[in-house]
Amino acid sequence: MNTPAPQSMGLLERVSRAIRSATEDRLLKEAADIDLRPSEFYQFYKEIQSEPDRSLAIVSFSYIDDRLREAFSLNLNPGITGNIKSLMGPLGPLGTSGSLVQMAAGLYWIQDETYQSLGLLRKIRNEFAHKPFSKGFEDTKINGLLSSMPRIENRLIAVSPQEFIASSSMTQRERFLVRSIMACYSSLAELSYAPMAQRMGLHPMATIGLEQHRKPETLKQLSHAASELVVELLSVRKGGGDEKEKA
């Protein structure tokens, strides 16, 4: 292959960008058919906030698991022998939530931080589900798992420290809620578009990396729903400051 002359490099770069832009436009056109159900997401996380610790951990991951299975079902080949159930049934290679998270990461359908968060949320769910005497999020084992999750709340609080409570004033339950909401949001945002982007020869996170005004409307709405939820959890309580149980 001949090396292009220096004067043609600018032209090649412009053509390459035009091809990429056209592919992104095609991706966005197909992505417009995806509904991330932002209203459902918001309502679900609002309703479970009154649940006891055990129910909160189990039910929140159940929702994530359901949405993961849905995303996989939409992106696997239904024409294989035994159809998709042969892969995702109880005895299939993708029959457990752990195998789904592992495969999603292996295919680059979710980013490393999302992979780490989902894995730890699954372990927290298992602790509550299989150990009847767990004392809640302050339980030593559960507290350790939660503390190992990415501290997404610190990044959020840094946006407006005057309006948000201090991280040190958050209870472990509040930390769990914020981290669970953001992990679910990230997994939906990434997993819903990554397979489609890959099939078009784009980076799996191409949709996530687009400028805000170019992102699919349903993705912007999901981002808004997640933002509303965490702002409500992190905002300083009027009249009471941010005096809360320290974890």
Side-chain angles (χ1 to χ4, degrees):
M1 179 172 155
N2 294 329
T3 302
Q7 62 268 24
S8 65
M9 291 297 288
L11 175 60
L12 290 175
E13 179 65 21
R14 292 196 299 274
V15 170
S16 177
R17 288 178 181 175
I19 292 173
R20 177 181 175 82
S21 179
T23 307
E24 287 177 348
D25 288 343
R26 185 160 58 93
L27 171 64
L28 289 172
K29 184 176 181 180
E30 293 193 22
D33 294 331
I34 296 175
D35 181 7
L36 296 180
R37 307 200 299 278
S39 296
E40 174 195 285
F41 172 89
Y42 179 82
Q43 195 60 39
F44 171 78
Y45 276 103
K46 282 291 289 183
E47 290 179 357
I48 66 169
Q49 289 182 32
S50 60
E51 294 288 337
D53 289 358
R54 185 183 303 278
S55 299
L56 176 60
I58 293 172
V59 174
S60 62
F61 192 79
S62 176
Y63 180 71
I64 292 173
D65 184 52
D66 284 349
R67 297 295 298 263
L68 283 173
R69 292 180 181 280
E70 178 183 320
F72 265 88
S73 296
L74 292 173
N75 287 288
L76 296 176
N77 181 4
I80 60 173
T81 302
N83 64 49
I84 294 173
K85 289 183 179 179
S86 65
L87 295 176
M88 301 183 66
L91 300 179
L94 298 176
T96 66
S97 57
S99 61
L100 286 172
V101 172
Q102 193 80 351
M103 182 60 76
L107 292 169
Y108 297 102
W109 288 359
I110 56 175
Q111 299 188 77
D112 290 343
E113 185 172 289
T114 306
Y115 169 57
Q116 180 186 359
S117 293
L118 293 179
L120 289 164
L121 287 172
R122 182 181 66 85
K123 290 179 179 179
I124 291 171
R125 185 277 310 270
N126 289 345
E127 284 293 313
F128 276 115
H130 303 306
K131 296 186 178 178
F133 299 108
S134 295
K135 299 176 182 178
F137 292 113
E138 302 299 335
D139 179 272
T140 302
K141 180 67 178 293
I142 293 169
N143 181 48
L145 291 168
L146 182 55
S147 297
S148 298
M149 291 184 69
R151 300 182 179 185
I152 182 66
E153 68 279 359
N154 289 347
R155 281 176 256 164
L156 301 173
I157 291 170
V159 172
S160 185
Q162 296 80 17
E163 297 181 73
F164 292 151
I165 59 176
S167 176
S168 60
S169 297
M170 295 178 70
T171 64
Q172 288 296 74
R173 179 184 174 88
E174 288 167 336
R175 285 193 179 88
F176 174 84
L177 271 166
V178 171
R179 294 174 188 182
S180 178
I181 289 167
M182 294 309 298
C184 185
Y185 160 73
S186 296
S187 62
L188 293 176
E190 294 162 11
L191 190 53
S192 298
Y193 300 105
M196 184 183 297
Q198 279 185 329
R199 289 194 294 270
M200 295 184 183
L202 296 170
H203 188 280
M205 298 298 126
T207 308
I208 305 300
L210 291 172
E211 295 179 1
Q212 184 68 11
H213 71 277
R214 294 194 68 201
K215 290 180 180 179
E217 191 60 33
T218 189
L219 179 56
K220 290 189 283 189
Q221 291 172 357
L222 186 71
S223 175
H224 183 77
S227 298
E228 275 197 59
L229 288 163
V230 297
V231 165
E232 290 169 6
L233 286 165
L234 295 176
S235 294
V236 172
R237 276 44 172 180
K238 301 300 182 183
D242 62 354
E243 293 179 3
K244 308 180 73 168
E245 176 187 351
K246 291 190 178 183

